[in-house]
Amino acid sequence: MNALRLARVRIDLAALRHNFGVLKSAANGAKVFPAIKADAYGHGMLACAQALRDLADGFVVATLGEAEALRKAGITQRIMVMQGFASLTEARLAARMMLEPVIHQAWQVDILEHGHTGLPLRVWLKIDTGMHRMGIEPEQVGVLYKRLMASGRLRGAPGFMTHFACADEPDPALTQRQIELFRRATEGLNGERSLSNSAGLLGGFDAGDDIVRPGIALYGGNPFVYGQAADHGLRPVMTLTTRLLAVREHPAGAAIGYGGTWICPEAMPVGIAAIGYGDGYPRRAPVGTPVLVNGQHAALIGRVSMDLITLDLRGIQAHPGDTVELWGAALPMDVVAQAIGTISYELTCAVGAHVAREYLNPAPSLLTAPAGG
Ligand SMILES: *Cc1c(COP(=O)(O)O)cnc(C)c1O
């Protein structure tokens, strides 16, 4: 994050809490563990966890390091750790911090059988039902479950989880196949079930979740390749803005930016705004990517530089110092992501790693009470 730069990210915590409420209603009584890995998709992991701590039943992160940071910040909820542990030392750390690591390969069960974790450990068994990334084969579930139960290292029965590969697509067949495989692999075994991401949850699959794990929808992103986030009542959480530095008139034929790739077709005003790939705004954003200048729709022209972008200001009232919105409250991030050929997840993650963040609307209960009051 760099406070010396002009690009700014505003995180609307009221919108985050609103979106949580939307997902909680859709969850139909299941517990909701927000996915806050990758610094909460660039929104700030600790700030988001604090903002949701009185609402969320638990949290989902990727690494033990992320979970440890949450514990150190005073987060007491359950925490699922997707990448689990790779050694007895890490398993002991997970047990000591009351974390819930995911077991995705048989060698992790060996670790528990061969060494003491100190405190008993709550674990999840991840089943590969079709994503073919992480997880044990459905046929291994019975054997590994028995070994885990016999190890004497566990707190309670292992939970069962899987991850959907295609729940964002209109055809539900693949997701239904994954749900069915999961159901068969876990039939008759005692333990919590967790399957759904945002798309699984909002897609109306009847997956039988005890715990759902939404991520992008919480941040106001559309989890589907069709439709819009607003269709589900989701509100944008991150707004990325910067300042217009200059407005210049160029004649027809003037070539704009590196490589001179964009040639002015007529005499026209060109805006220069203070953001670039040094702020995490993608260099591959093409000509025509939408941008708001003073609330008016403008288009990116030329190449994205490290600190600057150039804008077509024909027909737009604009002056140096005006606010430029790259995405957020007034310009859905999904629209921008689609223009760039990516998904909103990648946009918020990249910018969140670079740009100074300001948090709006913390929950009243989270404000610090005056000392001695
Ligand atoms: C990131 C993640 C999620 C959340 O996915 P979204 O598409 O953002 O809702 C859920 N489960 C697992 C295992 C994840 O890694």
Side-chain angles (χ1 to χ4, degrees):
M1 288 201 288
N2 195 335
L4 300 176
R5 297 176 70 84
L6 292 173
R8 288 282 174 270
V9 153
R10 283 198 322 269
I11 304 293
D12 184 348
L13 295 174
L16 183 76
R17 290 167 61 85
H18 164 86
N19 294 341
F20 182 92
V22 169
L23 297 167
K24 184 74 194 175
S25 316
N28 244 323
K31 294 191 168 99
V32 179
F33 284 24
I36 53 171
K37 63 192 186 225
D39 207 20
Y41 298 29
H43 294 67
M45 178 181 74
L46 295 181
C48 290
Q50 297 289 3
L52 295 171
R53 66 182 305 172
D54 60 329
L55 301 175
D57 301 293
F59 293 103
V60 173
V61 295
T63 68
L64 285 172
E66 291 169 329
E68 195 175 1
L70 287 170
R71 284 288 181 254
K72 286 188 171 148
I75 296 296
T76 54
Q77 270 99 340
R78 298 174 60 184
I79 303 176
M80 286 174 83
V81 184
M82 289 302 141
Q83 292 172 12
F85 53 84
S87 65
L88 183 61
T89 310
E90 290 186 0
R92 292 180 68 96
L93 174 86
R96 192 169 70 243
M97 297 210 158
M98 302 272 280
L99 308 175
E100 303 183 17
V102 169
I103 288 177
H104 51 82
Q105 286 218 288
W107 55 263
Q108 294 172 301
V109 179
D110 301 344
I111 289 176
L112 293 186
E113 286 174 333
H114 293 127
H116 282 277
T117 52
L119 297 170
L121 185 62
R122 193 168 351 203
V123 299
W124 289 85
L125 258 182
K126 180 163 193 173
I127 307 166
D128 178 10
T129 56
M131 178 92 152
H132 296 145
R133 201 178 53 176
M134 294 228 289
I136 60 172
E137 301 296 329
E139 305 77 53
Q140 288 181 287
V141 172
V143 169
L144 293 182
Y145 182 85
K146 276 205 203 81
R147 282 177 56 192
L148 281 169
M149 292 298 274
S151 72
R153 309 283 189 247
L154 298 198
R155 189 159 54 87
F160 301 100
M161 62 156 304
T162 194
H163 196 42
F164 295 142
C166 303
D168 57 326
E169 292 167 12
D171 181 359
L174 277 165
T175 307
Q176 277 157 357
R177 224 174 79 82
Q178 287 193 264
I179 293 169
E180 182 53 27
L181 259 176
F182 182 89
R183 204 187 54 70
R184 268 189 273 140
T186 59
E187 202 152 33
L189 299 176
N190 179 37
E192 289 175 304
R193 269 75 170 153
S194 177
L195 299 86
S196 295
N197 53 2
S198 299
L201 173 57
L202 292 175
F205 296 97
D206 192 11
D209 288 283
D210 297 304
I211 296 173
V212 294
R213 311 183 307 269
I216 196 66
L218 195 68
Y219 308 108
N222 178 17
F224 303 104
V225 296
Y226 52 90
Q228 316 176 29
D231 300 343
H232 306 278
L234 300 168
R235 291 209 224 127
V237 175
M238 175 188 286
T239 297
L240 173 65
T241 61
T242 190
R243 204 184 290 165
L244 197 61
L245 296 174
V247 178
R248 300 187 55 206
E249 292 291 332
H250 289 297
I256 306 296
Y258 283 114
T261 55
W262 204 82
I263 313 284
C264 293
E266 58 183 321
M268 62 179 278
V270 171
I272 324 294
I275 192 164
Y277 60 81
D279 303 291
Y281 188 84
R283 184 176 179 277
R284 67 186 188 283
V287 167
T289 301
V291 162
L292 291 181
V293 177
N294 249 337
Q296 307 156 92
H297 279 268
L300 191 75
I301 53 174
R303 283 196 189 143
V304 173
S305 304
M306 188 181 290
D307 312 306
L308 300 172
I309 54 172
T310 40
L311 305 172
D312 180 349
L313 293 185
R314 282 176 289 180
I316 287 171
Q317 294 297 318
H319 305 280
D322 285 354
T323 297
V324 176
E325 179 174 321
L326 289 313
W327 63 73
L331 177 61
M333 58 182 178
D334 295 303
V335 170
V336 178
Q338 194 166 26
I340 297 176
T342 184
I343 52 178
S344 57
Y345 306 62
E346 189 186 7
L347 295 183
T348 61
C349 282
V351 160
H354 291 93
V355 175
R357 283 187 292 245
E358 180 194 353
Y359 289 95
L360 308 182
N361 305 316
S365 63
L366 304 174
L367 299 173
T368 316

